[in-house]
Amino acid sequence: MTHVDNLPGIIADGLVPGAEPAVDLSSPVTRELRRETEVAGLPVSATVAFHVSPEASRWVELRSGAEGATWSDAARATASADLVVLVSTIAAVSAGVEATVLTDGDAAGTTTRFAVGEEAQTTMLRRLRFEEDGLLGAEFLVPAVVPFAAIAVIGLANEPAKERLRALLPSGRTPKVSVYPPWFQPAED
């Protein structure tokens, strides 16, 4: 998930670990915690993080008002029509990458467990699928540039957002662009 204004850089350069976004949705505290937390010899901030569920906890928080220390003032001021969800597969984003990491929660969390390597990740994914809400906090970390071509679908809140996005996309092979309002609705209490 990201702000639509971050897409020109992503289209041009891919998803770059540690890149400064045009609109930063993360708070300075979150950025600092991710710089200080290391996994597989790298700070978490030196990876590209993907959620593994369309109802990921952080995504629900963001679209429901971005309350709490995780989010920046820019996130709290962002309308759902200005957000996009970039959808891919683990295989596509990790192609050619030596070591990826799967977490069972926020990668900067103190009790989060990490799985490095295909066997450990498969085991963790199996476990998380059977736990209630197990996948909602999980992250998949890629310590490399993820090319824009690895994105299969870009999800948007409405048709005007789709038209705005189409103006940003290069001609030729682009991801499918899908308007799916339920992904962008605030969580029900």
Side-chain angles (χ1 to χ4, degrees):
M1 65 203 179
T2 192
H3 194 282
V4 70
D5 290 348
N6 295 335
L7 282 179
I10 293 169
I11 292 167
D13 302 327
L15 292 155
V16 178
E20 289 295 322
V23 177
D24 196 347
L25 300 175
S26 294
S27 70
V29 169
T30 299
R31 292 266 177 218
E32 183 61 27
L33 288 171
R34 292 178 84 81
R35 275 192 293 275
E36 292 175 355
T37 304
E38 287 199 13
V39 60
L42 287 172
V44 172
S45 62
T47 66
V48 176
F50 289 89
H51 295 288
V52 297
S53 168
E55 289 299 317
S57 301
R58 294 292 166 110
W59 174 233
V60 171
E61 288 173 14
L62 178 60
R63 69 183 201 228
S64 298
E67 296 299 320
T70 301
W71 304 105
S72 67
D73 291 338
R76 285 186 270 285
T78 297
S80 64
D82 293 330
L83 297 170
V84 296
V85 176
L86 305 175
V87 181
S88 191
T89 64
I90 287 176
V93 299
S94 60
V97 177
E98 201 167 304
T100 57
V101 178
L102 178 66
T103 75
D104 66 355
D106 178 357
T110 56
T111 61
T112 300
R113 292 175 286 185
F114 301 94
V116 180
E118 189 174 341
E119 186 176 327
Q121 290 173 3
T122 300
T123 300
M124 182 180 278
L125 272 174
R126 259 191 222 119
R127 181 180 52 79
L128 292 173
R129 282 186 185 130
F130 290 105
E131 291 178 6
E132 185 176 345
D133 301 332
L135 293 173
L136 301 184
E139 293 183 58
F140 187 74
L141 308 175
V142 182
V145 173
V146 175
F148 183 64
I151 303 304
V153 176
I154 299 176
L156 300 152
N158 57 39
E159 287 297 326
K162 183 177 182 178
E163 293 310 311
R164 182 174 166 200
L165 173 66
R166 289 227 183 265
L168 297 174
L169 292 174
S171 60
R173 194 242 171 245
T174 59
K176 178 180 177 182
V177 177
S178 180
V179 172
Y180 192 65
W183 274 358
F184 297 86
Q185 310 255 325
E188 295 178 15
D189 291 330

